[in-house]
Amino acid sequence: MKNIIFIAVTLLCIVSVTITAILIRYIAQSEPTRIIPFTVLIVVGISITALFAANIIVKKIVEPINKIDLENPENCDIYEELSPLLKRISEQNLIVARQMEKIKKRKTQFEIIGENMQEGLLILDKDDRILYYNKSATRILDEKNDNLLKKNIFVLCRNEYFRRGIKQAKESDEQIIYSFEINNKTIEMIARSVATSKGRIGTTVLIMDVSEKTNREKLRREFSANVSHELKTPLSVISGYAEIISNGLAKKEDISDFGTKIYSEAQYLLELINDIIELSNLDESRGFTFEKVNIYEFAKGVISRIEEKANEKNINIKLSGSDIIISAIPRLLDEIFSNLLENAIKYNKENGSVSINIEEKENFVILSVEDTGIGIPKSKQSRVFERFFRVDTSRTGRQGTGLGLSIVKHAVQIHKGKVSVSSVENSWTKFVVELPLELKGETKITA
Ligand code: ATP
Ligand code: MG
């Protein structure tokens, strides 16, 4: 390239100098007075020609440069002089491509983590506009709009405490934690301001649905209060009678009666403590192993153990169905059967009956326990699985701790099954338990 420009400029100079010299010589000989205007004319003419030539040469030089493919500069070998520049562009392209690749990889990793988080994650800019949000955030806040980017965060949630949390996070370096209720959910938020050396650039907000945890805590508190209350009554009775006897205030003929009362209250306390221990084991899901069990044979075993109680009230127990093998925890299966059967006897009438049926239906075993007893009023049926709930102690007296059916419910849930009740007051009650033949996956328990 350098050579071509050099030759072209040299040729142009030679031609112009030659022409100028010839013309000046000719004019100097023929018309010496007009030599100055002629010289000016020649200079102007040469300047215009040079300008024109320069234009053409620049165009010719620049045209291929403009056509360089900057993505692949190594393929454009136009001028030798441009080779180092093109080589550097090519190297820069490689560095940029590598950095882009890294950024893309990090973005994908971030998105995968964000989308698989159970917690909702929100990243806001300094003016509270949403830069990033994951699926859990919209799920937890029940938001249907799926295009929230660049929108103000308060479009997503207008709750007073949520606003307060974000405002406080913006004003401090601490992480701000708030709990609030939205749509019957308890939500916990952790907001923190993000800052660089140049100042605050935004806020990150983590939100969690803690309804289940809160409910569990509430149930636990209620349970503890109930346990204290349940323990107090029999202990007061025991202590009262024991005091009368120890003070010598009891008549001789009453002592045996008092002893029986102390014994029965102590028995009740033992029963209560055993049930509480069982429930706490179920809560912790401790030490359970699934085994293959023939549920029909299993039921026969429980019946023969409890039959004596049925005989006391002349209650007839019928078992129907066939051998079905299921994967179950024998100790919990025993709790299910014995609690249902004991209730069917306890809340039955004299000369009544109890029918137990075991059958298989679409990968489930359906076992039902039906009695001809006092029944449960419709309004109370949904509450019988609650801890310490007893339908009507004024009618039946205190017959149990009120924990049996909650143990049944827990045991069924650990087996990933279902339990339901139907009843007609003063006529019959039927409990139906559905258990999967094979247990797959994780078990979720609600108290
Ligand atoms: P526990 O079983 O712990 O000794 P409980 O029998 O009182 O005590 P649950 O088995 O949980 O407790 O039953 C709760 C309540 O439901 C009972 O108190 C009773 O009022 C009612 N109930 C349960 N089963 C029957 C039934 N088959 N017929 C009528 N009422 C029933
Ligand atoms: Mg019971």
Side-chain angles (χ1 to χ4, degrees):
M1 182 64 200
K2 201 165 63 189
N3 300 341
I4 297 168
I5 296 174
F6 174 74
I7 292 166
V9 172
T10 314
L11 274 175
L12 208 68
C13 289
I14 292 171
V15 171
S16 18
V17 168
T18 316
I19 293 172
T20 313
I22 293 167
L23 281 173
I24 288 175
R25 197 167 165 245
Y26 171 73
I27 290 162
Q29 279 171 4
S30 55
E31 293 177 73
T33 52
R34 294 175 71 187
I35 187 130
I36 290 170
F38 255 109
T39 312
V40 171
L41 200 74
I42 286 165
V43 169
V44 171
I46 287 174
S47 299
I48 291 171
T49 318
L51 204 71
F52 192 67
N55 235 338
I56 293 172
I57 292 169
V58 167
K59 248 190 204 159
K60 283 265 177 242
I61 295 169
V62 169
E63 202 179 282
I65 295 176
N66 280 337
K67 284 185 182 159
I68 292 174
D69 175 7
L70 288 175
E71 297 287 316
N72 306 295
E74 63 279 6
N75 297 340
C76 312
D77 194 13
I78 36 170
Y79 309 129
E80 196 186 320
E81 293 80 357
L82 279 183
S83 292
L85 176 68
L86 295 180
K87 205 172 155 210
R88 267 177 55 202
I89 293 176
S90 170
E91 282 166 5
Q92 286 296 322
N93 279 354
L94 258 174
I95 294 170
V96 171
R98 261 187 234 134
Q99 278 172 351
M100 284 300 287
E101 194 57 39
K102 261 192 205 164
I103 293 170
K104 261 192 211 158
K105 217 168 158 182
R106 272 195 208 146
K107 189 172 169 261
T108 321
Q109 276 172 350
F110 177 76
E111 277 171 1
I112 291 173
I113 294 169
E115 288 316 304
N116 286 295
M117 273 169 74
Q118 283 301 306
E119 297 84 4
L121 176 64
L122 295 152
I123 299 176
L124 316 179
D125 69 8
K126 64 180 186 343
D127 299 316
D128 299 335
R129 281 185 301 247
I130 301 171
L131 293 177
Y132 173 82
Y133 65 98
N134 65 356
K135 265 193 219 137
S136 296
T138 48
R139 176 180 47 78
I140 292 170
L141 296 173
D142 292 324
E143 175 62 48
K144 301 280 174 292
N145 187 347
D146 57 0
N147 188 15
L148 294 163
L149 288 181
K150 297 258 157 79
K151 298 225 165 92
N152 189 285
I153 181 66
F154 303 119
V155 170
L156 185 62
C157 180
R158 291 178 196 283
N159 180 278
E160 171 62 25
Y161 291 99
F162 186 73
R163 297 172 86 100
R164 233 186 255 181
I166 288 173
K167 190 166 173 279
Q168 286 181 11
K170 278 165 74 174
E171 290 163 359
S172 86
D173 294 335
E174 305 284 307
Q175 71 175 18
I176 305 295
I177 303 175
Y178 265 107
S179 285
F180 51 90
E181 305 266 327
I182 298 182
N183 306 337
N184 295 326
K185 286 184 198 171
T186 311
I187 291 170
E188 192 170 283
M189 74 175 283
I190 303 174
R192 186 167 209 145
S193 144
V194 182
T196 65
S197 53
K198 286 178 191 145
R200 210 185 76 80
I201 54 165
T203 316
T204 54
V205 186
L206 206 62
I207 46 175
M208 288 150 281
D209 182 353
V210 291
S211 317
E212 221 177 286
K213 193 175 129 209
T214 320
N215 284 343
R216 259 207 311 270
E217 273 163 15
K218 189 172 151 236
L219 281 170
R220 221 162 261 164
R221 274 198 305 275
E222 281 173 9
F223 184 63
S224 309
N226 277 330
V227 168
S228 321
H229 178 77
E230 291 290 326
L231 289 173
K232 224 169 143 189
T233 321
L235 276 174
S236 310
V237 175
I238 291 173
S239 149
Y241 284 122
E243 195 185 5
I244 295 170
I245 296 170
S246 69
N247 287 346
L249 296 173
K251 287 184 211 150
K252 231 182 182 166
E253 62 270 26
D254 288 338
I255 288 182
S256 153
D257 236 20
F258 289 178
T260 314
K261 281 194 174 121
I262 290 174
Y263 176 75
S264 101
E265 291 301 315
Q267 282 300 311
Y268 172 76
L269 277 179
L270 271 177
E271 209 181 300
L272 183 67
I273 287 161
N274 280 336
D275 280 354
I276 292 169
I277 292 171
E278 186 62 38
L279 265 175
S280 120
N281 283 341
L282 291 174
D283 278 343
E284 305 289 324
S285 294
R286 270 192 300 234
F288 298 136
T289 22
F290 280 81
E291 287 172 27
K292 294 278 173 212
V293 180
N294 180 338
I295 194 159
Y296 188 77
E297 285 301 319
F298 197 91
K300 273 191 195 165
V302 180
I303 293 168
S304 69
R305 215 178 57 219
I306 292 176
E307 221 159 20
E308 207 179 307
K309 283 185 189 161
N311 293 341
E312 285 168 18
K313 280 172 103 174
N314 200 24
I315 289 168
N316 178 29
I317 301 179
K318 291 174 261 178
L319 172 67
S320 57
S322 56
D323 286 341
I324 299 167
I325 309 289
I326 71 159
S327 168
I329 303 156
R331 197 162 68 76
L332 298 193
L333 207 55
D334 193 287
E335 288 283 6
I336 297 172
F337 266 120
S338 51
N339 272 302
L340 293 180
L341 206 53
E342 272 172 14
N343 282 352
I345 296 166
K346 212 171 8 176
Y347 305 107
N348 214 324
K349 296 165 191 156
E350 294 276 331
N351 307 319
S353 69
V354 177
S355 312
I356 302 164
N357 183 49
I358 294 171
E359 61 186 33
E360 195 179 322
K361 201 173 161 194
E362 294 162 7
N363 294 327
F364 278 84
V365 59
I366 317 284
L367 69 96
S368 60
V369 179
E370 188 172 357
D371 62 58
T372 54
I374 59 172
I376 304 168
K378 194 123 196 92
S379 60
K380 305 275 171 72
Q381 286 173 19
S382 61
R383 298 197 58 197
V384 290
F385 297 102
E386 285 174 20
R387 294 175 181 190
F388 294 111
F389 183 80
R390 282 160 285 208
V391 171
D392 186 2
T393 40
S394 62
R395 235 176 89 208
T396 56
R398 191 190 65 197
Q399 298 220 35
T401 62
L403 292 175
L405 286 177
S406 56
I407 293 176
V408 170
K409 186 181 161 192
H410 245 70
V412 168
Q413 281 180 336
I414 288 177
H415 285 88
K416 287 200 146 189
K418 272 196 291 190
V419 56
S420 59
V421 61
S422 48
S423 178
V424 169
E425 223 181 332
N426 288 321
S427 188
W428 56 268
T429 300
K430 184 177 181 181
F431 282 92
V432 178
V433 175
E434 296 175 37
L435 301 176
L437 295 177
E438 285 290 334
L439 193 80
K440 292 178 200 109
E442 200 185 293
T443 308
K444 195 173 177 180
I445 303 160
T446 53

